[in-house]
Amino acid sequence: MAKEKIKVGAEGIYDARKLGPGRMIVLGFQHMFAMFGATVLVPLITGLDISTTLLMAGLGTLLFHVFTKFKVPAFLGSSFAFLGGYATIAPMLENGTPNKEMLPYACLGVACAGVVYLILAAIIKLIGISKVMRFFPPVVTGPIIIAIGLGLAPSAINNCSTNWWLAIVALALVILFNIFGKGMVKIIPILLGILGSYAVAAIVGNGLGVESFAVDFSAVRDAAWIGFPIEWSSTVFGGVRDSSKAVTAIIAIMPIALATMMEHIGDMSAIGATCGKNYIADPGLHRSLMGDGLATTLSSLFGGPANTTYGENTGVLALSKVYDPRVIRIAAYFAIFFSFSPKFAALINSMPAAIVGGISFILYGMISAIGVRNMVENHVDFAKPRNTIIAAVILVCALGLGDGVSFAIGKFDITLSALAVAALAGIILNAIFPGKDFDFAKTNEKAVEPAENND
């Protein structure tokens, strides 16, 4: 069937029901590829299991669709906002291997951060969104997002330093595909950058014998084709035994949710604008927050990363003009399917650290740039001393406190991460300083205004 024969509406939107199962599957596979590069990068950086990550991305997406009444075409992949929390609680070991002992504690902290979503969702349902969001204006969330990216920059440099030439290849490919790419190529520059630099490493290292580029495929050869994607000792249930470490992880990581909730609101507005529907009103922000929060908690309890709605898949929606949520659910089924292949996970794990560094080099900067954009788009006035002071305190706390602040409460030794201290300081200062100039209802009005329904 030609494309022109299935157009509906003035904007050339396609009715997925007329595409047929074959095209629906292809579109779902496209969405799976769009999320894949960024989703698997989080376990590569943190040491979490790739198979578990893929499984929880698929299950989390399906759970989100249940809570949003199957109305929102959003895919939930790995969240980068919590990387600072993982780096604080469970940093990679000196030899570059995952910190298996501490990762379950970091996952517990992230699981509790997901509960914060549920609490906010309940509050929004009871008192309305505007009264809640006045505590989290862009002058607080913007600098926190900036600090997340800048705080992770040393990790990217460390990985790049293992082979700068390979890191530069990965970085250059991402930039090339993102700036000059067309269509699908432009939407998945991270995935293409990984594949391209991986191919270069294999050809130069394994084919031409340049040792510094060599890729070790022994684990791939030894891995089974089929296996269960969850290891009990890596879950919160099987790996958390020290209550003091657990409390420290919870206190250090939970405040990050304050920043990621603003990201969630922005993503929901973007998806709604793309599809021409007001998803913040219907099915409602409280429902999407519940779905996102429960998906994050479920994933973390079983050893996966935090989940978040993915902008990459919003780009695919805009490109394909097929907005049927069933296509996204097909992508979720693909993610679940690949999670049961240890050989597939071993192939990803064989990637040289320099490639991860090259990808992270630009990715971490982009995280900070999102924070800048958040403040610019919301017209944060830095001519006002209150705003300058709040942003300054957040940035200095987040970047200057290093290992954070440690103290004891009874028998518990508590460590607040630098990012947690920064978030709390920003929220408190914004609450007590006079001259608040952010009105969420007015600022968000255009973003959530219902557009013409093309269905």
Side-chain angles (χ1 to χ4, degrees), residues 132-327:
V132 174
M133 295 310 297
R134 65 182 180 181
F135 292 101
F136 312 114
V139 73
V140 172
T141 57
I144 290 174
I145 296 171
I146 292 172
I148 289 172
L150 296 181
L152 291 167
S155 172
I157 298 300
N158 289 338
N159 283 325
C160 287
S161 64
T162 60
N163 187 330
W164 271 105
W165 287 111
L166 186 54
I168 290 172
V169 169
L171 175 62
L173 287 175
V174 172
I175 294 174
L176 181 67
F177 290 129
N178 193 42
I179 299 298
F180 300 105
K182 302 295 184 181
M184 194 64 188
V185 170
K186 192 177 185 68
I187 295 174
I188 55 171
I190 293 176
L191 176 62
L192 295 177
I194 290 175
L195 293 176
S197 55
Y198 196 109
V200 170
I203 293 171
V204 175
N206 298 66
L208 302 180
V210 180
E211 187 175 347
S212 60
F213 280 75
V215 180
D216 184 5
F217 289 109
S218 58
V220 180
R221 290 192 297 268
D222 297 338
W225 281 101
I226 300 175
F228 192 67
I230 296 176
E231 183 180 348
W232 184 253
S233 62
S234 298
T235 68
V236 169
F237 309 106
V240 174
R241 305 183 186 280
D242 188 318
S243 57
S244 180
K245 292 178 181 178
V247 173
T248 296
I250 292 171
I251 294 178
I253 294 178
M254 276 185 70
I256 298 175
L258 303 177
T260 57
M261 284 186 291
M262 283 299 294
E263 178 187 355
H264 173 93
I265 294 170
D267 286 342
M268 291 299 296
S269 297
I271 295 171
T274 300
C275 301
K277 295 183 179 181
N278 184 354
Y279 293 122
I280 288 182
D282 180 23
L285 183 61
H286 64 289
R287 282 186 168 274
S288 63
L289 277 172
M290 286 178 64
D292 201 340
L294 284 172
T296 290
T297 298
L298 173 68
S299 175
S300 300
L301 288 176
F302 288 94
N307 282 340
T308 187
T309 45
Y310 254 33
E312 288 88 343
N313 296 91
T314 303
V316 177
L317 292 174
L319 176 70
S320 67
K321 294 188 180 297
V322 176
Y323 305 146
D324 193 324
R326 290 179 297 175
V327 174

